[in-house]
Amino acid sequence: MSDVKASILVVDDDLAIRELLQEHLSRVGYDVVTAADGDGMRQRLAQSRVDLIVLDVMLPGDDGFTLCREIREHSQVPIIMLTASSDETDRVVGLEIGADDYLAKPFSARELQARVKALLRRSSFTRADNPRFVRFDRWRLDTLAHELISEEGRTTALSGADFALLQLFLAHPNEVLDRDTISGVTRGRESMPLDRVVDVAVSRLRQRLGDQGRNPRLIKTVRGAGYLLAATVTYVAE
């Protein structure tokens, strides 16, 4: 994205918020389009490429959760959800269905800008000097397509948050990663007491890896310390 402006779609039924975010994000170099509801969002997505979506939870017609699920059926575009509720449930639900980050209203435009920048950088993570594929356990990770490939050849697309978390584990195999380290990579902030966001992110990644159950064998819980990827990791070009 070095020579092409990243395109951001803001979906919010509040005209003042749409105008504010469009003005602020445009000023710092992004192409910004807006929509007031799900129909408008679908129209924008059909018309042009979008690199990131800022999606409000409370919308007329289909709410943000419904729209997030719909997007995830065919796209892994980064999604930041906006919620007017301070209830942790909204945040957890959003992350469970595939959102990459969330912000509670009211929020500062500068904080949103930082989240947008981090997500875009993460979603475009490709380095020519790094091997494209990472092998571990029964899986192969395609770091270019952001896909998991099973031994049988089945592919699973990863959201930005899932991909970033798996990359973190693969960079530190057989090491205990604490909750703050995981939270810093997946959400860009330290975890709070009783915050379930890290647990949800790990649970979702376990689901992608078929590593669920009472005693996961691949991503292990180390009580009082964090999580550990129990696997040998190798990097291959093809």
Side-chain angles (χ1 to χ4, degrees):
M1 296 182 193
S2 58
D3 298 320
V4 179
K5 288 185 178 181
S7 177
I8 298 173
L9 171 58
V10 176
V11 186
D12 198 303
D13 62 327
D14 188 322
L15 175 61
I17 290 179
R18 294 200 306 273
E19 291 180 342
L20 174 66
L21 295 185
Q22 184 169 36
E23 178 184 357
H24 180 82
L25 293 172
S26 297
R27 190 186 310 133
V28 294
Y30 299 114
D31 282 330
V32 183
V33 293
T34 67
D37 55 21
D39 288 341
M41 180 198 80
R42 296 181 188 100
Q43 183 177 359
R44 290 294 193 182
L45 291 176
Q47 290 173 340
S48 59
R49 171 187 61 87
V50 170
D51 298 304
L52 183 144
I53 300 174
V54 179
L55 178 61
D56 190 26
V57 170
M58 299 299 294
L59 292 170
D62 292 331
D63 64 20
F65 295 138
T66 300
L67 296 175
C68 182
R69 290 189 185 95
E70 179 181 318
I71 293 166
R72 283 293 173 256
E73 290 178 359
H74 57 81
S75 173
Q76 296 303 315
V77 61
I79 299 174
I80 299 176
M81 299 200 77
L82 305 179
T83 174
S85 172
S86 59
D87 188 350
E88 188 179 88
T89 301
D90 274 3
R91 293 175 271 168
V92 170
V93 169
L95 294 170
E96 283 179 333
I97 62 178
D100 297 279
D101 204 347
Y102 70 85
L103 274 176
K105 296 179 178 179
F107 58 86
S108 71
R110 180 171 294 181
E111 181 178 11
L112 176 63
Q113 177 189 338
R115 300 289 183 92
V116 166
K117 183 178 180 180
L119 271 181
L120 288 173
R121 183 173 60 245
R122 195 167 75 197
S123 68
S124 63
F125 175 74
T126 53
R127 289 187 55 185
D129 56 342
N130 281 345
R132 175 172 177 176
F133 295 98
V134 186
R135 292 185 183 275
F136 66 102
D137 194 60
R138 303 165 184 165
W139 297 93
R140 186 169 50 143
L141 175 66
D142 185 333
T143 62
L144 182 60
H146 290 201
E147 289 181 339
L148 275 171
I149 306 168
S150 70
E151 288 180 318
E152 300 76 24
R154 177 174 54 86
T155 61
T156 302
L158 298 178
S159 69
D162 292 339
F163 179 73
L165 179 55
L166 181 54
Q167 286 269 44
L168 175 65
F169 278 122
L170 293 174
H172 302 277
N174 302 300
E175 295 181 26
V176 177
L177 301 178
D178 62 36
R179 295 169 64 86
D180 284 344
T181 298
I182 294 173
S183 181
V185 168
T186 59
R187 300 202 52 258
R189 67 169 181 83
E190 293 184 351
S191 58
M192 298 183 297
L194 303 181
D195 191 345
R196 291 183 53 216
V197 170
V198 168
D199 298 326
V200 168
V202 171
S203 176
R204 192 174 60 207
L205 182 57
R206 280 172 170 163
Q207 183 178 2
R208 303 287 187 269
L209 295 168
D211 191 41
Q212 296 172 289
R214 298 178 67 91
N215 296 297
R217 66 174 187 81
L218 189 53
I219 300 180
K220 297 182 177 295
T221 301
V222 182
R223 294 195 179 278
Y227 294 95
L228 173 148
L229 176 70
T232 298
V233 175
T234 58
Y235 293 81
V236 293
E238 298 182 359

